Amino acid sequence: MKPQFPAVQGGGSLILAWQVRNRHVLVIGGGEVAAGRILAVLNADAKVTLISPSTNLNPEVRHRIASGAVTYIDREFQPSDLDPSLPTPPTNDTSSPSPAQPVDMVLCAIDSPTASTEIYKLCHRLRIPANIADVPPECDFYFGSVHRDGPLQIMVSTNGNGPKMAALVRRRIAGSLPGNTGAAIRKVGELRRRLRGVAPGNGGEVGAKRMRWMSKVCESWSLEDLCDMVEEDMDLLLAYYKDGMVPSLEQIRLKEEPGVYTFDGSFGWM
């Protein structure tokens, strides 16, 4: 029989979790869209420089500047902000220098289509990934509609076709999740970190065994149990890792010895 494989569906985008911690992100524009972009990259621990005349700043952007969350340059964007080899227009204002370090990403949210296109072309030539707000053909990546609950992030993307629809779908998904999902994931993350201490090493059979055991924990424990788990519970649970067993929270709190079980078939250990 011929094997069945997933069909290719072209026209999508590769959705990734882009790590921009300590990367330098340049935001051009100071309106409502820019405010959303700034918050998104600050949440990802990026270093943000904002270029925009002070007359164009919305209240949220002003707050980010006042709190010191972003480095602010009060003027219009200049090509030399990205390429120091290009000439800088003459000015008597020495209080607004160019960004102090190379730029890793550009987020443009200005009203001028012509200027936006020129910025995108410059980024493309310099191989700097860029997003030009509301112009999908001039975006190396898109911002989706994101649900955030602690370590949990869910992004819905329409690939530039309908941002409002993405928000509607995201709200529907978020509404279907239990309120303690993020807390349960945080506990699972701590358990995984402790497991690496018990079974160190990367890849191979060690990594595969860790993954199988963590899968058993996530599948057999409820969200309520994961949220209720404390450090002592984690240490007791990890004692069962060697034998590949996953007892219930109730059982580990009874402090049953690993390898000695009163098994009634209800916990799906095997």
Side-chain angles (χ1 to χ4, degrees), residues 3-4 11 14 17 36 50 52 57 73 87 97 131 135 140 143 147 153 155 164 175 202 213 225 227 240 264 270:
Q4 297 295 313
L14 182 62
L50 169 67
S52 176
L57 302 180
I73 299 176
N131 174 279
V135 189
D140 296 311
F143 281 83
H147 168 69
Q153 289 180 267
M155 188 186 91
K164 292 299 182 184
N202 296 315
W213 190 79
D225 284 343
C227 287
Y240 294 86
D264 63 4
M270 300 306 293

Side-chain angles (χ1 to χ4, degrees), residues 17 52 55 83 92 101 129 178 185 193 195 210 235-237 240:
S52 176
T55 53
D83 187 351
N92 295 323
Q101 64 184 97
I185 291 172
R193 285 187 285 274
L195 176 57
R210 282 200 309 258
D235 292 336
L236 292 169
L237 177 58
Y240 294 86

Side-chain angles (χ1 to χ4, degrees), residues 96-255:
S96 298
S98 289
Q101 64 184 97
V103 174
D104 298 302
M105 176 188 292
V106 171
L107 308 177
C108 181
I110 59 178
D111 293 331
S112 170
T114 301
S116 295
T117 296
E118 290 303 313
I119 291 170
Y120 178 72
K121 288 179 178 178
L122 178 60
C123 290
H124 186 71
R125 179 171 66 81
L126 297 173
R127 297 185 178 182
I128 300 173
N131 174 279
I132 308 301
D134 206 30
V135 189
E138 296 181 352
C139 291
D140 296 311
F141 55 92
Y142 301 127
F143 281 83
S145 183
V146 177
H147 168 69
R148 179 77 184 270
D149 179 6
L152 174 65
Q153 289 180 267
I154 300 173
M155 188 186 91
V156 178
S157 173
T158 61
N159 288 297
N161 287 284
K164 292 299 182 184
M165 281 298 300
L168 291 172
V169 174
R170 184 258 302 163
R171 285 196 290 269
R172 179 71 63 88
I173 293 172
S176 69
L177 294 173
N180 56 358
T181 305
I185 291 172
R186 189 177 292 108
K187 293 292 183 71
V188 168
E190 177 59 27
L191 181 63
R192 287 186 69 222
R193 285 187 285 274
R194 289 171 179 258
L195 176 57
R196 283 187 171 274
V198 171
N202 296 315
E205 182 55 32
V206 173
K209 182 180 179 182
R210 282 200 309 258
M211 187 178 298
R212 288 193 300 268
W213 190 79
M214 283 301 309
S215 295
K216 284 185 181 182
V217 174
C218 294
E219 291 166 1
S220 59
W221 283 35
S222 68
L223 287 174
E224 288 73 22
D225 284 343
L226 292 169
C227 287
D228 198 33
M229 178 172 57
V230 297
E231 292 185 1
E232 183 182 3
D233 298 328
M234 294 182 192
D235 292 336
L236 292 169
L237 177 58
L238 288 169
Y240 294 86
Y241 168 75
K242 183 178 179 181
D243 294 330
M245 301 296 185
V246 179
S248 68
L249 179 60
E250 180 183 5
Q251 283 184 303
I252 65 171
R253 287 183 173 176
L254 290 173
K255 295 184 172 59

Side-chain angles (χ1 to χ4, degrees), residues 79-80 82-88 125-126:
S80 57
L82 295 180
D83 187 351
S85 68
L86 294 174
T88 301
R125 179 171 66 81
L126 297 173

